[in-house]
């Protein structure tokens, strides 16, 4: 019986190996790793890469679809326009670690040699892949005749960059084109050829942002030939330090793994978000890499509010979601008090928020918080009943994170570890 089983096992292994060899010969998906990744992404305009593991069921399901997509795109776009590649993370562990791969399959895209800020999170179908990649191959800068053309209710975007250039032969055109490609997901770029900016000599770069129902304009003041300052200015405008969280980008923001400092506000309230942004820039601009600063529509995100024991009537309010627990900033009116917001963030990183909730303030520890008669042990988090007048008792547990539940789903990915 053992001999029969061994023969059967060898036959199965042979079939699998033959299938793998035929697939390797048939596909034009490139095998990538530390030795050739850089050269490949420099060679092609667009490179779509699948970070996978052979043992992952979702990775295996993706193989034929990814192969078909590669064949279709190479047929439609010959030459160096586009390539599809794959990286086996079991064999290329260092490469996958360098790109912070925490789940399989992860799909990333390179444009003009630069990896996109956002990974692909859409449907894994041939049609969806082709539509997505065709969009990436379009010129990232769209010629228009005027700003008003792109700010109609049907076309307007929250943020946009407008280029007032004489032509596309200027020496800095290629640099701007690369930035437009890199920031394609964040900001549309439009160019108005032959028209100067009123009141300004020469070419100009203009950023416009929709705040409420009004567009606010900012013009870059430095020389356009000085690429680094230009690129930094465009990046800071298109990727602001304070972002809006929506159900569409919540998974992406959650996966970044940084705790959230969130302003919940009413939909028609534009003043509080502006105050919040101003204070973040003033007090916490250096914390961009340790905290995600976000604003959220309190009506759409009513569940986190109820989790905090709050409702629309309590807005605006500020809270931290650490992906373990949620903590409430005592009073939005105190946001401008020097050191108040800074202390709230520092207390999160030191563990003091959690400690104070459970055990109260250490009487021997100087505190920059409000006096004890206005902030009592546990006041960082209200009780579950929004109508209750008392505070949660020392030793109780702060509400669990609600945004953690918006992280990547195990129904779509094999998660390597629970990072949050």
């Amino acid at each position: 019986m053992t001999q029969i089983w061994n023969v059967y096992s060898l036959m199965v292994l042979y079939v699998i190996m033959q299938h793998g060899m035929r697939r390797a010969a048939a596909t034009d998906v490139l095998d990538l790793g530390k030795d050739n990744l850089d050269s490949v992404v420099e060679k092609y305009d667009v490179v779509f890469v699948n970070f996978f593991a052979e043992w992952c069921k979702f990775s295996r399901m993706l193989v034929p679809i990814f192969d078909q997509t590669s064949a279709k795109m190479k047929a439609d776009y010959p030459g160096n326009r586009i390539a599809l590649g794959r990286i086996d993370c079991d064999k290329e562990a260092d490469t996958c670690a360098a790109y912070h791969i925490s789940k399989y399959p992860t799909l990333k895209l390179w444009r003009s040699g630069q990896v996109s800020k956002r990974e692909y999170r859409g449907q894994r179908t041939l049609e969806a892949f082709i539509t997505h990649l065709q969009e990436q191959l379009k010129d990232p800068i769209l010629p228009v005749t005027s700003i008003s053309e792109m700010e109609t209710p049907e076309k307007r975007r929250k943020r946009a960059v407008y280029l007032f250039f004489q032509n596309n032969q200027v020496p800095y055109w290629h640099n701007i084109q690369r930035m437009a490609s890199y920031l394609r997901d964040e900001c549309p770029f439009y160019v108005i050829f032959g028209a100067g900016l009123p009141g300004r000599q020469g070419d100009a770069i203009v950023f416009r942002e929709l705040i409420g129902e009004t567009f606010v304009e900012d013009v870059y003041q430095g020389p356009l030939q000085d690429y680094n300052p230009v690129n930094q200015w465009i990046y800071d405008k298109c990727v602001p330090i304070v972002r809006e969280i929506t159900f569409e980008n919540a998974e992406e923001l959650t996966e970044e793994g940084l705790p959230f400092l969130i302003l919940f506000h009413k939909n028609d309230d534009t003043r509080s978000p502006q105050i919040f942004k101003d204070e973040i820039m003033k007090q916490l601009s250096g914390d961009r890499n340790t905290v995600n600063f976000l604003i959220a529509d309190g009506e759409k995100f009513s569940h986190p509010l109820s989790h905090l024991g709050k409702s629309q009537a309590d807005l605006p309010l500020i809270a931290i979601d650490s992906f373990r627990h949620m903590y409430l900033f005592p009073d939005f009116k105190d946001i401008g008090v020097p050191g108040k917001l800074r202390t709230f963030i520092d207390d999160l990183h030191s563990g003091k928020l959690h400690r104070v909730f459970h055990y109260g303030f250490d009487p021997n520890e100087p505190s920059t918080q409000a006096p004890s008669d206005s902030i009592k042990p546990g006041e960082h988090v209200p009780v579950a009943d929004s109508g209750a007048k008392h505070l949660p008792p020392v030793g109780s547990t702060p509400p669990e994170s609600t945004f953690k539940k918006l992280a990547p789903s195990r129904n779509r990915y094999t998660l390597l570890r629970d990072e949050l």
Side-chain angles (χ1 to χ4, degrees):
M1 185 67 179
T2 303
Q3 289 180 332
I4 295 175
W5 177 252
N6 288 339
V7 171
Y8 175 76
S9 299
L10 288 171
M11 290 176 64
V12 171
L13 179 60
Y14 175 79
V15 171
I16 292 174
M17 290 177 64
Q18 290 299 309
H19 173 74
M21 291 172 65
R22 286 196 301 271
R23 178 185 173 277
T27 185
D28 55 6
V29 175
L30 303 176
D31 287 305
L32 303 176
K34 63 179 183 297
D35 295 331
N36 66 345
L37 177 60
D38 289 344
S39 60
V40 168
V41 300
E42 287 293 338
K43 179 179 178 180
Y44 294 90
D45 295 341
V46 170
V47 181
F48 195 38
V49 178
N50 171 23
F51 292 82
F52 74 100
E54 291 281 4
W55 48 264
C56 163
K57 67 176 181 180
F58 301 112
S59 295
R60 293 197 300 269
M61 292 165 60
L62 181 59
V63 169
I65 302 169
F66 209 69
D67 287 348
Q68 293 167 27
T69 304
S70 180
K72 171 66 174 171
M73 295 304 295
K74 292 297 287 184
D76 292 349
Y77 299 91
N80 295 344
R81 293 299 313 281
I82 187 168
L84 274 70
R86 62 191 177 201
I87 298 179
D88 185 338
C89 288
D90 285 336
K91 297 178 181 178
E92 295 285 343
D94 290 344
T95 303
C96 294
Y99 289 99
H100 309 290
I101 304 303
S102 61
K103 63 188 184 309
Y104 304 134
T106 293
L107 299 168
K108 288 184 175 289
L109 187 132
W110 273 256
R111 305 185 193 97
S112 303
Q114 295 179 303
V115 65
S116 173
K117 280 178 54 60
R118 296 182 181 178
E119 67 182 64
Y120 178 82
R121 297 175 187 269
Q123 293 182 342
R124 297 173 192 154
T125 65
L126 176 62
E127 295 75 16
F129 281 156
I130 289 174
T131 299
H132 177 68
L133 294 174
Q134 288 174 338
E135 187 66 28
Q136 304 308 311
L137 288 164
K138 293 180 180 178
D139 193 317
I141 302 177
L142 179 66
V144 297
T145 57
S146 66
I147 289 178
S148 59
E149 176 187 344
M150 304 311 300
E151 292 187 353
T152 62
E154 302 79 24
K155 294 182 179 180
R156 69 185 186 184
R157 297 278 297 275
K158 185 170 180 59
R159 300 179 187 88
V161 175
Y162 290 87
L163 311 172
F164 289 82
F165 288 180
Q166 286 302 309
N167 55 59
N168 61 1
Q169 302 302 311
V170 292
Y172 36 80
W173 174 260
H174 182 62
N175 176 63
I176 300 299
Q177 198 171 39
R178 285 175 66 89
M179 282 300 292
S181 180
Y182 178 59
L183 295 172
R184 181 193 292 267
D185 298 327
E186 311 294 337
C187 271
F189 279 63
Y190 306 112
V191 61
I192 303 173
F193 286 124
L197 187 65
R200 181 183 174 96
Q201 295 292 323
D203 293 345
I205 301 176
V206 176
F207 174 80
R208 289 175 65 85
E209 181 177 15
L210 182 63
I211 299 178
E213 291 299 317
T214 304
F215 280 96
V216 177
E217 183 174 286
D218 195 5
V219 180
Y220 181 70
Q221 299 297 329
L224 303 186
Q225 296 89 340
D226 200 349
Y227 296 163
N228 288 338
V230 169
N231 294 348
Q232 190 64 54
W233 184 84
I234 294 174
Y235 180 87
D236 290 343
K237 294 297 183 181
C238 288
V239 188
I241 189 172
V242 178
R243 294 177 283 178
E244 181 179 9
I245 186 169
T246 65
F247 288 112
E248 288 72 28
N249 68 1
E251 179 184 282
E252 175 188 349
L253 291 172
T254 301
E255 197 179 8
E256 291 179 8
L258 301 177
F260 292 172
L261 180 70
I262 312 175
L263 168 71
F264 294 92
H265 66 97
K266 293 181 179 178
N267 179 263
D268 59 353
D269 175 13
T270 59
R271 182 171 176 271
S272 296
Q274 191 57 51
I275 293 173
F276 182 71
K277 291 175 184 178
D278 292 344
E279 291 302 326
I280 294 298
M281 287 298 298
K282 188 187 305 181
Q283 302 184 44
L284 300 173
S285 59
D287 292 67
R288 185 172 192 159
N289 295 326
T290 60
V291 179
N292 261 327
F293 303 110
L294 305 171
I295 59 175
D297 184 328
E299 183 177 349
K300 294 178 181 177
F301 287 93
S302 58
H303 178 64
L305 287 179
S306 63
H307 211 57
L308 286 165
K310 297 294 184 180
S311 68
Q312 292 281 309
D314 299 304
L315 301 182
L317 61 82
I318 298 171
I320 284 175
D321 190 315
S322 70
F323 299 127
R324 293 183 184 276
H325 299 293
M326 297 186 73
Y327 302 95
L328 185 66
F329 187 70
D331 193 335
F332 177 79
K333 297 187 187 71
D334 291 338
I335 189 175
V337 176
K340 199 81 167 185
L341 205 55
R342 168 85 270 162
T343 298
F344 190 48
I345 294 297
D346 289 345
D347 286 353
L348 167 71
H349 293 315
S350 70
K352 185 176 177 180
L353 286 184
H354 195 79
R355 189 173 70 250
V356 166
F357 186 94
H358 284 291
Y359 307 111
F361 287 105
D362 181 348
N364 299 316
E365 180 181 12
S367 174
T368 54
Q369 303 274 355
S372 59
D373 61 343
S374 59
I375 294 185
K376 302 177 178 61
E379 192 171 352
H380 281 304
V381 187
V383 293
D385 178 6
S386 61
K389 300 301 183 184
H390 61 279
L391 298 170
V394 172
S396 61
T397 303
E400 291 185 358
S401 166
T402 57
F403 287 93
K404 180 179 180 179
K405 298 172 184 176
L406 300 177
S409 168
R410 294 183 183 275
N411 294 325
R412 277 176 54 85
Y413 300 98
T414 297
L415 305 181
L416 298 188
R417 54 193 176 277
D418 187 1
E419 294 203 340
L420 301 178

